[in-house]
Amino acid sequence: MKKALKIIGITLLIIVALLVAIPFMFKSQIKDMVKRFINENMNANVEFSDVNLSFLSSFPQAHVSVDDLVITNFAPFKDETFATAKSITFDMSVKELFKTADEGPIIINAINVNEALLTLKTNKLGDVNYDIVKQKENQNTEASADEKGFTLDIEDYAINNSAFTYLDEKSNVTFYITELNHSGKGTFSGDVSELDTNTEARVSLKLDSTQYLNNNTIKLDALIGLDLENNKYTFKENKAIINQLPLAFQGYVQMVDEGQDIDISFENTGSDFKDFLAIVPKEYSKNIEDVATTGTFKVKGIIKGLSSDTTIPHLDINVTSNNASFKYPDLPKSVENIIINASVKNDDGNVDNTYVDIKALNFKIDEDIFKSSATLKNITKNMFVNADIDGVLNLANITKAYPVTLEKELSGILKAKLNTSFDMNAIETNTYQRIKNNGTVGITDFIFSGEDIVNPIHISKADITFHPGTVSLNSFDARTGTSDISATGTINNLLGFLLSDGKLKGNFNVKSNTFAVNDFMVAETETATKNKTTTEEASLKIPAFLDCSIQADAKTVLYDNLTLKNVKGSLKIKDEQANLENLTTNIFDGDLAISGLVDTKNKTPLFNMNLGIANFDISQSFKDLELLQSLAPIAKILQGKLNTTINLSGALDEEFSPDLASVSGNALAELLTTNISSENAPLLSKLNGAFSFIDFDKLDLKDLKTKLEFKDGKVNVKPFDIKYKDINITVDGSHGFDKSMAYNAVLQVPAKYLGSEVNQLIGKINDPAVDKITIPITATIGGTFTAPTVKTDLTSGVTNLTKQLIEIQKQKLLNQGTQQLQDLIGDALGGSKPKNDSTKTQTNNPIKNVLSDIIGGNSTNTNTTDTTNTETTPKKPTVEDGVKDILGGLFGGKKKKETTKDSIK
């Protein structure tokens, strides 16, 4: 007994070892078999990572798996992926592994396909990517009498977690099946067999631009009779669920030479109105189990005829409901008096003649009754719509009666009596002559918000009359934020705007008592609220959907910190651009005219403006306008009126204000009546300290004109002239938006302002030409407006003056000799020369050197007196002493008691 058990154990061990070892022994043979099968049957490039064989998982059968299968097409779909699969497994008899090509087809008992993706495609030329099976040469069309017609025996098959895509570029059809799980069991060994299947998937179908199914859930349990000899497939016991609507169907599909002969009928198994709610995807209808319903609902259809390249089966699908109602248990309102009478028909097999006829779609919520009807023709191409609407609808009741989730809350009362007739191509191409609307629509207390709207727009009243091609806006009264709007006008593309994401086109006359610009600018960095949009980027945008002209008349416009009065002008908005034309307003006790463009298409908004300013109050405007502050910072100390024209362009910042670093342009300014207020004006204090003979608070700036050019944060000021009494001043230079300065002021100073000593010298010369002498003194102004620096060349100016005076007298006395000129200058400067102590020496003076050069020598004279001389005759001053006195007076040195006060401190 022990020996027998030992033999059995060893035998079993050998069998297990063989089951493990054989797959490795025959692995290359299996790969060759798979490659042979592929090469013999497929006209495509096929790749897979591995082929495995196991006897243990499906013993006593063999289990073959192909991993990571990828099939790509040849031309005309070269390198496009036709199919992929994570794995395909086959269960078969071991002997099937060793069949040669002459021993007949391989019999497979079970097939499992996991995570497959199959794409069937037809291009615009009619070529298909799924015609990849090779046609065998000299293949007999008739089977021999002793051959069996079908030798494949499949016990079961399954397709798990897979997807299917059909794309027809020629007919513009897209069909998707996702989350596909399908399994079937049956016997295929006879000519007549049965296949029991179970399918779950999500289905989407789009014909042209119309979405008929959108990720709808499909369940199908079908018992299908297979007449393989006649290629006929009969639906026997079948039940389908579309979304949550149960359908029973019967009929057949038979393959014929021209295509498929189809005869299928279906209807919903019940008649309760709850079946209508079941059609709606569950994401929108929510849980309908506890919904209270009354009335009937029936779906019944027939699909019968030939499906071929040129025809479709005849269609007769009807949906009806009478006197129905529904109420969700957790919502306060119910929908009553529901009447539905709709059908989808095709009577001749021409796909273009398929149409939808909605004879009635009526309902009632509270006391509001809404009726509608419509026909849709040519639905696979350029769909034609004819619809009638007549009723009243409280928009707030929609969410109170049906569990729909809206991005924005709806409110308002809609009243409509309207007929509309159009084709979709006319909507998309704005062919207004093919868009025919007649009727009226009114809305009250409507709140509108969207992605391009900052604050909700509360429309208190709007009355619209529809005409063929145009819509008249008879009245429109609304508020948003702090703004109020009243408008009339015409709209040319209302349906395109509402139905196909077109632009809102029209011409409007807009009036407002208060219009705040920021109420209409999208701030994309704002925190999301119920009525605002959030994005990561920060910019203000002109709504992209607007394409209109606006004639504006606003009593008050608020923009940033500015208040504009009596704003009138035209505004053209298109492509996220606003073009202002002849916009006028009153601001800063003056008038402002604006023309230009604001462009918000790019991430950074741009502008290009021409400004005309008349009679602006200088102190107010330079206080509130940052642009003017940067162009002329010194103007903040002025009081009076300003005229200017400014041409400028640049970028706008996140607050929709000019980014000064990017601004460039030019300006021409004129000052009218002007006073100067030197309080808190460091620059004036510095200038007053440098020139004591000028009171800069009393400069005459009337009718001053100057031209500016600015770019890259720097303002260049062209030379301009101002005047103080009889002193002419020329100013030019530049400053930065950072308040830095680099200016030169050249003062033409008459000699009389340079002290009493100079005046005495002028009086001695006694020449009318001397009274007209002026000297240029340059003030170099630097630093910043808050910490200025002032440097002058006053010393060189006095030197030049002295040279001028001497030159004049020199010309007069040219024939009298050098000594006479010296005596005359000595007398003019000091009279009699007093005696000096012998121990004192006259020091050198820079002006003395100038005089000596002019007169003819550079030597210095040291004058002494006799110590025994007791005469009291006063000393006669030298030329050097006289010039020294002049400079002393100019620069604040010690003066003689009898000298009058200088005009320079």
Side-chain angles (χ1 to χ4, degrees):
M1 184 64 181
K2 291 181 179 181
K3 185 176 181 180
L5 291 174
K6 186 175 181 180
I7 293 172
I8 293 172
I10 292 173
T11 302
L12 291 174
L13 183 61
I14 292 173
I15 292 173
V16 172
L18 289 173
L19 292 175
V20 173
I22 288 175
F24 293 99
M25 297 170 59
F26 292 97
K27 186 173 183 178
S28 60
Q29 185 175 351
I30 296 169
K31 281 188 175 182
D32 292 340
M33 180 185 69
V34 173
K35 289 180 179 179
R36 182 194 69 194
F37 176 82
I38 291 172
N39 292 330
E40 289 178 354
N41 294 278
M42 302 190 72
N43 186 27
N45 181 38
V46 181
E47 298 178 357
F48 51 87
S49 62
D50 202 2
V51 176
N52 296 301
L53 172 65
S54 172
F55 293 120
L56 295 178
S57 60
S58 58
F59 187 80
Q61 293 184 330
H63 178 84
V64 179
S65 66
V66 179
D67 297 331
D68 300 324
L69 176 69
V70 178
I71 302 175
T72 54
N73 287 106
F74 295 147
F77 300 92
K78 184 174 176 58
D79 297 331
E80 292 185 13
T81 301
F82 171 68
T84 64
K86 185 175 182 179
S87 66
I88 303 177
T89 63
F90 307 89
D91 291 337
M92 63 188 74
S93 173
V94 175
K95 67 180 182 179
E96 299 298 319
L97 297 173
F98 304 99
K99 280 187 174 181
T100 63
D102 299 330
E103 294 177 336
I106 299 171
I107 298 174
I108 300 175
N109 303 111
I111 301 175
N112 283 277
V113 180
N114 299 307
E115 299 183 23
L117 175 60
L118 176 66
T119 301
L120 305 183
K121 186 175 181 179
T122 302
N123 64 18
K124 293 181 179 180
L125 300 177
D127 301 319
V128 297
N129 72 334
Y130 47 85
D131 186 12
I132 60 174
V133 178
K134 288 183 178 180
Q135 297 293 329
K136 296 182 180 180
E137 297 179 359
N138 300 324
Q139 184 176 15
N140 292 329
T141 57
E142 297 182 0
S144 59
D146 57 345
E147 283 183 330
K148 294 184 180 181
F150 193 72
T151 57
L152 181 62
D153 187 358
I154 299 179
E155 294 182 358
D156 62 76
Y157 69 95
I159 301 173
N160 303 313
N161 195 25
S162 298
F164 167 84
T165 299
Y166 175 72
L167 302 174
D168 191 334
E169 295 178 352
K170 189 175 183 180
S171 302
N172 201 14
V173 176
T174 57
F175 180 60
Y176 299 99
I177 298 177
T178 58
E179 300 178 30
L180 172 63
N181 290 283
H182 172 78
S183 61
K185 295 182 179 181
T187 301
F188 295 84
S189 57
D191 290 336
V192 178
S193 305
E194 283 187 344
L195 179 65
D196 191 2
T197 65
N198 178 270
T199 304
E200 292 185 9
R202 289 183 175 271
V203 178
S204 298
L205 173 63
K206 185 177 182 180
L207 302 178
D208 199 19
S209 60
T210 304
Q211 191 83 38
Y212 290 95
L213 297 173
N214 186 18
N215 206 31
N216 295 80
T217 300
I218 301 292
K219 294 182 180 180
L220 175 63
D221 295 330
L223 181 62
I224 304 173
L226 306 177
D227 184 353
L228 300 180
E229 182 176 0
N230 297 307
N231 288 325
K232 185 176 182 179
Y233 309 93
T234 304
F235 298 99
K236 294 182 177 180
E237 299 176 7
N238 307 283
K239 184 175 77 171
I241 298 177
I242 302 176
N243 287 333
Q244 300 176 71
L245 175 66
L247 291 175
F249 61 97
Q250 51 279 330
Y252 68 86
V253 176
Q254 184 174 10
M255 309 300 293
V256 296
D257 292 339
E258 296 84 2
Q260 302 89 35
D261 181 24
I262 299 174
D263 187 353
I264 296 175
S265 62
F266 60 89
E267 64 179 322
N268 57 321
T269 55
S271 61
D272 195 297
F273 186 75
K274 188 176 291 186
D275 288 348
F276 170 77
L277 300 178
I279 295 177
V280 182
K282 190 174 182 180
E283 292 82 355
Y284 304 105
S285 64
K286 312 302 180 184
N287 186 358
I288 65 173
E289 293 182 1
D290 298 325
V291 176
T293 62
T294 63
T296 62
F297 175 76
K298 200 69 179 176
V299 177
K300 190 173 183 178
I302 297 174
I303 304 173
K304 185 175 182 178
L306 179 66
S307 176
S308 66
D309 293 338
T310 58
T311 62
I312 65 170
H314 293 194
L315 304 175
D316 187 7
I317 303 171
N318 298 281
V319 179
T320 58
S321 179
N322 292 302
N323 196 27
S325 69
F326 67 87
K327 184 182 184 304
Y328 279 80
D330 52 350
L331 295 178
K333 304 289 183 180
S334 62
V335 182
E336 302 173 338
N337 296 349
I338 301 172
I339 297 175
I340 302 174
N341 186 357
S343 59
V344 180
K345 293 182 179 292
N346 183 288
D347 301 321
D348 59 5
N350 185 344
V351 65
D352 295 337
N353 294 331
T354 304
Y355 65 94
V356 178
D357 185 9
I358 305 174
K359 294 182 174 64
L361 177 57
N362 308 335
F363 61 88
K364 176 183 176 182
I365 303 178
D366 278 350
E367 298 303 317
D368 299 333
I369 299 175
F370 194 86
K371 298 179 180 180
S372 63
S373 61
T375 57
L376 288 76
K377 296 182 179 180
N378 198 30
I379 59 177
T380 61
K381 292 186 177 179
N382 179 27
M383 185 169 64
F384 178 81
V385 178
N386 191 322
D388 289 285
I389 298 172
D390 184 4
V392 179
L393 182 60
N394 186 337
L395 300 177
N397 284 338
I398 294 177
T399 56
K400 294 178 181 178
Y402 192 78
V404 60
T405 301
L406 302 176
E407 292 184 3
K408 311 296 179 184
E409 293 183 1
L410 288 178
S411 65
I413 306 298
L414 175 67
K415 296 181 180 180
K417 188 173 180 62
L418 176 67
N419 170 262
T420 181
S421 177
F422 59 89
D423 62 87
M424 292 305 298
N425 180 260
I427 295 291
E428 294 168 355
T429 59
N430 300 324
T431 310
Y432 303 123
Q433 61 269 23
R434 300 207 311 266
I435 304 173
K436 299 178 180 180
N437 302 309
N438 290 283
T440 60
V441 173
I443 192 167
T444 57
D445 295 326
F446 176 70
I447 296 178
F448 173 74
S449 61
E451 190 168 310
D452 292 327
I453 303 298
V454 175
N455 299 302
I457 298 178
H458 182 192
I459 303 173
S460 57
K461 179 184 178 182
D463 292 317
I464 301 173
T465 300
F466 288 83
H467 308 282
T470 62
V471 177
S472 296
L473 180 62
N474 303 318
S475 65
F476 179 88
D477 298 316
R479 296 190 65 87
T480 179
T482 59
S483 303
D484 65 272
I485 305 171
S486 177
T488 60
T490 58
I491 305 172
N492 298 324
N493 190 39
L494 184 60
L495 289 179
F497 171 64
L498 297 175
L499 300 181
S500 65
D501 295 328
K503 294 185 176 182
L504 183 62
K505 298 183 177 182
N507 300 294
F508 303 96
N509 295 314
V510 179
K511 294 184 178 181
S512 175
N513 291 314
T514 302
F515 188 93
V517 175
N518 288 339
D519 287 339
F520 297 87
M521 295 300 176
V522 179
E524 296 187 348
T525 53
E526 293 179 1
T527 303
T529 62
K530 183 167 57 178
N531 293 305
K532 295 185 180 180
T533 303
T534 299
T535 64
E536 294 181 357
E537 297 183 354
S539 64
L540 297 173
K541 292 288 185 182
I542 296 171
F545 63 79
L546 287 179
D547 182 0
C548 59
S549 297
I550 300 173
Q551 192 68 33
D553 184 355
K555 292 181 179 180
T556 302
V557 173
L558 304 176
Y559 175 62
D560 199 16
N561 62 332
L562 304 179
T563 300
L564 294 83
K565 296 291 186 180
N566 301 320
V567 178
K568 296 181 180 180
S570 62
L571 178 66
K572 294 183 178 180
I573 300 176
K574 185 178 181 180
D575 297 331
E576 298 184 59
Q577 295 180 333
N579 196 343
L580 288 77
E581 297 179 353
N582 301 320
L583 182 67
T584 61
T585 183
N586 304 129
I587 186 174
F588 303 129
D589 295 332
D591 300 318
L592 173 64
I594 303 175
S595 296
L597 179 71
V598 175
D599 185 348
T600 66
K601 286 188 297 186
N602 299 318
K603 181 179 179 180
T604 301
L606 303 175
F607 73 96
N608 191 330
M609 289 289 177
N610 297 320
L611 308 180
I613 294 172
N615 293 310
F616 261 26
D617 182 276
I618 297 176
S619 61
Q620 290 184 42
S621 59
F622 279 81
K623 176 183 176 183
D624 294 337
L625 288 177
E626 185 181 2
L627 175 62
L628 293 184
Q629 294 174 14
S630 299
L631 293 181
I634 192 64
K636 70 179 181 178
I637 68 174
L638 304 180
Q639 294 179 345
K641 294 292 185 176
L642 168 71
N643 290 345
T644 184
T645 58
I646 303 176
N647 304 315
L648 70 163
S649 61
L652 297 171
D653 60 20
E654 63 273 8
E655 299 296 332
F656 225 59
S657 297
D659 180 4
L660 295 180
S662 69
V663 170
S664 63
N666 59 76
L668 178 63
E670 178 184 12
L671 298 180
L672 304 178
T673 57
T674 307
N675 295 318
I676 299 176
S677 175
S678 60
E679 295 181 5
N680 299 319
L683 179 56
L684 288 189
S685 298
K686 286 285 186 180
L687 289 172
N688 280 327
F691 301 100
S692 60
F693 52 87
I694 298 180
D695 186 353
F696 283 91
D697 292 354
K698 298 179 180 179
L699 285 175
D700 183 7
L701 302 180
K702 186 179 179 180
D703 299 328
L704 169 65
K705 294 183 179 179
T706 183
K707 186 175 182 180
L708 314 176
E709 293 182 353
F710 43 94
K711 185 179 181 181
D712 299 329
K714 185 177 181 180
V715 179
N716 292 310
V717 180
K718 300 298 182 181
F720 64 92
D721 297 323
I722 56 178
K723 193 169 186 179
Y724 175 79
K725 295 182 179 179
D726 54 352
I727 301 176
N728 295 320
I729 306 173
T730 301
V731 181
D732 71 334
S734 65
H735 65 268
F737 289 165
D738 59 357
K739 310 305 182 186
S740 62
M741 292 187 297
Y743 279 95
N744 289 320
V746 179
L747 293 75
Q748 299 298 334
V749 182
K752 63 184 179 180
Y753 291 107
L754 298 179
S756 59
E757 288 82 359
V758 172
N759 289 325
Q760 290 178 18
L761 179 59
I762 292 173
K764 294 295 184 181
I765 295 176
N766 192 23
D767 189 321
V770 174
D771 295 333
K772 300 179 181 180
I773 291 178
T774 62
I775 64 168
I777 298 177
T778 301
T780 302
I781 304 170
T784 66
F785 283 95
T786 56
T789 62
V790 177
K791 297 179 180 179
T792 69
D793 61 347
L794 192 56
T795 300
S796 61
V798 172
T799 301
N800 291 332
L801 173 61
T802 305
K803 290 181 178 180
Q804 288 185 60
L805 293 176
I806 294 175
E807 182 63 26
I808 290 172
Q809 191 62 19
K810 180 180 178 180
Q811 292 300 323
K812 288 180 61 179
L813 304 177
L814 185 62
N815 297 324
Q816 299 180 16
T818 301
Q819 184 60 48
Q820 290 177 324
L821 177 61
Q822 288 177 330
D823 294 340
L824 178 61
I825 293 176
D827 292 340
L829 294 179
S832 299
K833 184 186 299 182
K835 294 181 180 180
N836 284 342
D837 188 277
S838 63
T839 60
K840 295 185 179 180
T841 303
Q842 177 67 38
T843 58
N844 287 333
N845 188 289
I847 303 303
K848 175 185 175 182
N849 295 332
V850 175
L851 293 173
S852 299
D853 289 340
I854 293 172
I855 295 170
N858 284 322
S859 60
T860 60
N861 294 321
T862 303
N863 297 313
T864 60
T865 58
D866 191 345
T867 56
T868 62
N869 193 347
T870 58
E871 294 180 358
T872 60
T873 302
K875 176 185 176 182
K876 185 177 181 180
T878 64
V879 173
E880 292 90 335
D881 291 335
V883 175
K884 182 177 180 180
D885 288 339
I886 294 174
L887 294 178
L890 287 174
F891 295 109
K894 187 176 180 180
K895 303 176 184 60
K896 302 174 183 177
K897 291 183 180 180
E898 65 273 14
T899 303
T900 58
K901 184 177 181 181
D902 291 325
S903 59
I904 298 181
K905 304 294 183 182

